[in-house]
Amino acid sequence: MKLPVRLAALTAALLVSAACAPQTSGTTSSDRDDRTGTLRVWLFQEVGNAPKEKVVDTVVAAFEKAHPDTEVDVEYIPVETRAQRVKAAFNDPGSAPDVMEFGNTDTAGHVRDGGLLDVTEEFTAWDEAEDTDPTARQSVAVDGKVYGAPLYVGVRALYYRTDVFDALGLDVPRTMDELAATARAVRAARPGLYGLVVGGAYTYGALPFVWAHGGDLATGRDGSYVSAIDSPAARKGIEAYTSLFGDDNCPAAKCAGMGGNDTVTAFAAGKAAMAIGGDFSHAAVEAGAVKGKYAVVPLPGVRAGSIAPAFAGGNNVGVLRSTSHRTLAVDLMKRLASKETQSGLFDAMGFLPTFADVRQRAAAKEPFVKPFVETLAAGTKFVPASPAWSRIDSSQVLPTMFQEVVSGRKSVAAAAGDAAAKMDDAFGSAG
């Protein structure tokens, strides 16, 4: 099963973002290529990180065996603070890692900032690269050059407690309206549970509501982007999502500050009847109190039988231009993103592989993959492929908008208007 390919749109967007990208050469900024020493690696810390660490430890052991007199120092950094850490690393190469994991939405911004190494030659020559999903390949490409290797793809769907639904005689919701009604029915019957646990800082859990109502984040204009988050359709989606914050479902005092990991943690701990979680959340849920008492279906859209568009997420791994170990770092990058490693990460964490052949085998092997594959097939969405997105994301523009509405400080229209102005400022600055 391949991701729906919107290559024309993505390519055009990437070309726009590349207009502001610095010219990078094939060499590292340090002009060194040491073949011994210590390589530093930054990877993202997951909910329930131990399985990921086990897979990575295997990769590191094989790498160190293949390269005598080398050591690999892996640090797992919180996703929420990645922007500050990466910015500091770009400004101070002495503290920077050689290899790092980054979100696929961060690629254009990292290239603009001159932080990522152009690995086009090595990626093209890599025999496994030919099986990379086309959309995943686009996530590491800017202006025809490659700045990393895709690590996994990810989409979100609806996790729900089968035991709670059976006990209360509830049907699985088929529309977003039914989703909200079901969440409130659970909360009324079980006041100790969140009906649907939501988070004011959970951008990618909220965006399907915007997209399902016909809204969007931005539209292309004159070689750049203009925010669309304050359009009437987008405001309907914002209202639908923020209406879920309240004592009748997920109290704002507790839920407004939650991010995606927080909501998954709450569901896994048995504190919620439903949650919007990714295929990558599977391991954490399986390790929690709800093991054997839940199921997953695609997040419903506005109309019965429809699936809400999900964010086509995922992470990449790349080499920093400041590395003094270019050859070693590129080899480690490929090992971390290899078919063998991605297969291991799927088994350990549920991360969907970016290689089409590996993903097909994974789907055949594990039934839990089905709702996520269905979500992929229904059509996914992506953020504007602009270096401005890194600024928008790190500045918490959308979480601030949601939280302003949830807290009652601003109306949907006012909060969306302010968010749109901030986005337009970022797009304008990016060119």
Side-chain angles (χ1 to χ4, degrees), residues 45-110:
Q45 184 174 5
E46 313 291 343
V47 177
N49 203 53
K52 181 177 183 178
E53 292 179 31
K54 186 175 180 180
V55 174
V56 172
D57 286 348
T58 300
V59 176
V60 168
F63 175 86
E64 291 178 339
K65 183 177 180 180
H67 299 285
D69 301 319
T70 63
E71 293 184 358
V72 177
D73 178 14
V74 180
E75 180 181 357
Y76 293 90
I77 65 174
V79 176
E80 292 79 7
T81 59
R82 72 188 189 280
Q84 299 93 311
R85 292 291 301 272
V86 172
K87 181 178 180 180
F90 289 173
N91 291 332
D92 179 18
S95 68
D98 298 275
V99 178
M100 75 173 186
E101 180 179 354
F102 55 94
N104 61 5
T105 62
D106 296 331
T107 304
H110 290 345

Side-chain angles (χ1 to χ4, degrees), residues 176 179 196 205-213 237-238 240-241 244 276 299:
M176 284 193 164
L179 177 67
L196 170 65
L207 286 179
F209 290 78
V210 174
W211 290 324
H213 284 82
I238 296 168
Y241 184 70
L244 295 167
I276 300 169
L299 183 68

